[in-house]
Amino acid sequence: MNAIEINALRKEYKDVVAVDDLSLTVREGEIFSLLGVNGAGKTTTIKMLAGLTLPTSGDALIFGHSIRTDADKIKGLLDISMQETAIARKLTVEENIDFYAALNGMSESEIAEAKAYCYRSLGLDKVANKRAAKLSGGWQRKLSIALALVTRPKLLFLDEPTLGLDVLARRDLWQVISSVKGNMTIILTTHYMEEAEALSDRIGIMSEGKLLFVGTKDELYAATQKQNVEEAFIEVVSGGRKHA
Amino acid sequence: MRNSLKRISVLTGRNFKEIVRDPLSLVFTIAMPLMMELVFYFLFHTQTMQFEMRYLAPGIVVFSQAFLALFSGILISQDRESTFLTRLYVSKARSYEFIFGYALAMTPVVLGQTVLFFLVGGAIEPSLFSIGMLYSILLSLVTAAFYIGMGILIGTMCNEKAVGGVASIVIAGQSMLSGMWFPPESMNKGMLVVMRCLPFKNATDLLRYGFVSSDGVFQGFWLPLLVTLGYLIVTFATAILVFRSKMKAK
């Protein structure tokens, strides 16, 4: 089954076209990286798919439900980790997880299990009783990502998840993402090309609201005659060619 | 329905923790008004009726509630600006559940303020301990709901920096147009009409009524109640509508 089917999705802000008739299909269980320079339309696309912004035209189906007409059915299937750290600052790490899991209707036993998973995979047990506001930027970021993982959604949007993390924390998160591969469909946006290279099943490259390339790493290398994602990305974006 | 109530309860619990862990909010909603109750009583109660405890204590309760507009507004605007609310919008929670979550979180603070200021007042002027105090405590939930609704509306519409300025208009309105610091009868007739049309004097009269109804100084019980309820309903309805439109940014 397809997790996402996007059909001519478009978003305009006054005279700016943020997303320009985007069409794309993402399979269930896939890790799909959406790459692009700043202002390419990645975050706007994610916000539309997550039901946070209405499209100007076009539609997308999330597990068969339209983002235009079935917004309520989509809620509960997906979660999102925003570019910015999104946590309750005066709550402790444990309280943040408890709160977010309970808000999403999880039972006591599910919460305990999810909490243990977050502690184990992201090392949050070391700071479980600290208030979020007192944590370093890196720990706050980890907590923000943990909240997205805690509900075990079928579809997870990770918008630049490793921004502000050090190398070790970034590798920890890569492991977490890899470990849920197959059980969760993940849409990942990132400026770190090695991240997309290491994690993605397929890659999409956007520029000025348009999708210029969709395919696997090997297909990207073949289309651009380059040997790594970074060079291939530059080739696609600077050439502005459609390789899809 | 059951899920909705559970989500409201979860949101209320989180918001309550956020409020009580902000020491500044407790200073402004409890410590400062308490100090004013004592200072104004001991300095002026022999000079003017306004500062006799049966007038002063209910006035202080409503005055302290005006600060709830500030702190509920700050909490919401902080949630919005940190994108924390955006994350919560992805959950199944609906706009009215968020609003009730913010409003109900303030209820223990409201009851704490009201009971404390009345107990202190009653300790100084024992005649306050009457059935009127019970009425006033119950009615304080209505007046507080109006100020909390104002705060939610302000926090939904303004950014964190603007909330302070806009909420201080509400606090100033409560101070200047409620008749708590000076007798409204000393104002000209036009001003008195304005005061009677706005919620501030009506909210103050409502809480004072249980203590001083026999003085015959107020326009009755029902008119202040209806005016306050009217403002409360309009404020909450507007807050829910604005909040819903922000959840679905165009």
Side-chain angles (χ1 to χ4, degrees):
Chain A
M1 187 186 186
N2 289 326
I4 304 173
E5 291 173 38
I6 305 175
N7 184 22
L9 202 61
R10 186 178 183 84
K11 182 70 182 178
E12 295 174 9
Y13 294 103
K14 291 182 182 171
D15 52 347
V16 176
V17 180
V19 177
D20 191 356
D21 295 333
L22 180 75
S23 293
L24 173 70
T25 299
V26 178
R27 290 183 289 274
E28 190 171 2
E30 190 175 15
I31 298 184
F32 186 91
S33 287
L34 206 48
L35 307 181
V37 293
N38 291 332
K42 308 182 296 290
T43 299
T44 306
T45 302
I46 283 181
K47 282 189 171 175
M48 284 192 284
L49 295 176
L52 296 171
T53 301
L54 284 173
T56 307
S57 63
D59 198 359
L61 302 180
I62 307 290
F63 294 103
H65 303 295
S66 163
I67 58 169
R68 284 187 169 277
T69 56
D70 300 328
D72 281 348
K73 289 180 182 161
I74 291 168
K75 285 185 171 193
L77 295 175
L78 59 86
D79 214 321
I80 186 167
S81 173
M82 316 284 292
Q83 260 178 45
E84 304 86 355
T85 302
I87 50 178
R89 295 177 59 80
K90 292 196 182 76
L91 265 54
T92 66
V93 168
E94 184 175 14
E95 287 170 341
N96 262 282
I97 296 172
D98 287 343
F99 161 71
Y100 196 66
L103 185 67
N104 283 282
M106 293 171 73
S107 66
E108 294 283 324
S109 60
E110 287 171 332
I111 293 172
E113 196 182 315
K115 206 156 47 181
Y117 169 74
C118 289
Y119 286 175
R120 192 173 58 244
S121 56
L122 289 165
L124 286 168
D125 52 329
K126 297 183 192 82
V127 290
N129 296 317
K130 279 197 175 178
R131 284 197 195 170
K134 304 276 182 195
L135 299 174
S136 67
W139 280 113
Q140 287 185 352
R141 194 93 195 108
K142 278 187 177 182
L143 174 59
S144 188
I145 294 160
L147 293 184
L149 289 166
V150 92
T151 57
R152 301 288 180 97
K154 286 180 78 175
L155 173 60
L156 176 62
F157 296 102
L158 294 173
D159 196 4
E160 298 186 29
T162 55
L163 195 72
L165 290 183
D166 61 41
V167 177
L168 294 177
R170 191 180 304 163
R171 288 299 168 114
D172 284 348
L173 187 62
W174 287 13
Q175 270 193 338
V176 173
I177 294 171
S178 299
S179 71
V180 296
K181 194 170 182 170
N183 301 321
M184 212 180 263
T185 307
I186 296 178
I187 307 296
L188 172 77
T189 77
T190 180
H191 285 298
Y192 299 109
M193 297 298 149
E194 72 277 18
E195 197 161 280
E197 198 163 4
L199 298 171
S200 319
D201 294 310
R202 286 194 303 151
I203 291 169
I205 298 178
M206 287 184 79
S207 179
E208 296 176 351
K210 288 182 166 49
L211 189 63
L212 300 180
F213 172 87
V214 181
T216 63
K217 279 172 287 188
D218 291 339
E219 288 167 347
L220 178 61
Y221 300 153
T224 56
Q225 302 296 304
K226 301 290 179 187
Q227 296 305 309
N228 62 60
V229 172
E230 186 163 330
E231 286 182 15
F233 170 79
I234 293 167
E235 169 70 13
V236 171
V237 172
S238 57
R241 288 182 283 136
K242 182 137 185 168
H243 296 261
Chain B
M1 183 66 182
R2 196 178 159 197
N3 288 338
S4 180
L5 288 174
K6 192 186 169 196
R7 284 194 293 268
I8 290 173
S9 150
V10 170
L11 287 164
T12 301
R14 175 262 164 176
N15 293 333
F16 178 69
K17 284 178 188 164
E18 292 272 347
I19 294 160
V20 296
R21 288 176 185 178
D22 179 0
L24 206 59
S25 68
L26 297 179
V27 167
F28 277 98
T29 53
I30 293 179
M32 189 187 78
L34 179 63
M35 194 184 71
M36 290 173 78
E37 183 179 18
L38 296 170
V39 168
F40 279 92
Y41 174 78
F42 285 113
L43 287 181
F44 302 117
H45 79 279
T46 53
Q47 297 167 27
T48 167
M49 192 175 72
Q50 294 296 114
F51 299 108
E52 289 175 19
M53 199 47 94
R54 60 205 178 111
Y55 284 88
L56 182 62
I60 286 287
V61 167
V62 188
F63 176 68
S64 67
Q65 289 176 348
F67 284 94
L68 297 176
L70 174 65
F71 290 104
S72 52
I74 286 175
L75 178 59
I76 294 178
S77 63
Q78 281 176 341
D79 283 351
R80 282 178 45 231
E81 285 180 29
S82 70
T83 69
F84 183 67
L85 261 185
T86 310
R87 147 163 275 160
L88 302 189
Y89 290 163
V90 177
S91 74
K92 287 186 174 174
R94 294 170 179 275
S95 51
Y96 71 87
E97 293 170 2
F98 284 106
I99 298 292
F100 280 114
Y102 283 113
L104 291 174
M106 298 283 179
T107 311
V109 180
V110 172
L111 288 173
Q113 288 174 316
T114 310
V115 171
L116 176 68
F117 302 145
F118 282 160
L119 283 180
V120 170
I124 293 168
E125 200 171 300
S127 65
L128 258 63
F129 290 118
S130 62
I131 190 74
M133 183 184 281
L134 204 60
Y135 287 144
S136 290
I137 290 172
L138 288 175
L139 288 169
S140 73
L141 294 173
V142 176
T143 55
F146 161 68
Y147 285 107
I148 293 165
M150 283 298 291
I152 292 170
L153 186 58
I154 293 167
T156 306
M157 296 175 80
C158 304
N159 63 32
E160 195 182 342
K161 283 181 185 165
V163 165
V166 179
S168 32
I169 296 172
V170 176
I171 295 168
Q174 176 56 38
S175 292
M176 307 299 291
L177 301 171
S178 67
M180 68 174 288
W181 300 120
F182 45 85
E185 294 69 30
S186 63
M187 314 286 284
N188 68 47
K189 277 190 179 173
M191 195 63 190
L192 201 55
V193 170
V194 171
M195 288 166 74
R196 283 181 174 160
C197 292
L198 291 172
F200 311 112
K201 178 173 168 17
N202 287 288
T204 310
D205 286 358
L206 199 57
L207 293 206
R208 282 176 166 173
Y209 196 77
F211 298 110
V212 297
S213 55
S214 57
D215 289 10
V217 291
F218 294 145
Q219 45 191 328
F221 170 80
W222 290 106
L223 190 59
L225 178 64
L226 289 175
V227 172
T228 309
L229 278 175
Y231 273 101
L232 189 164
I233 290 165
V234 170
T235 305
F236 263 87
T238 312
I240 290 172
L241 288 175
V242 175
F243 198 90
R244 185 181 290 169
S245 77
K246 294 270 180 183
M247 277 178 85
K248 207 70 165 174
K250 300 288 182 289

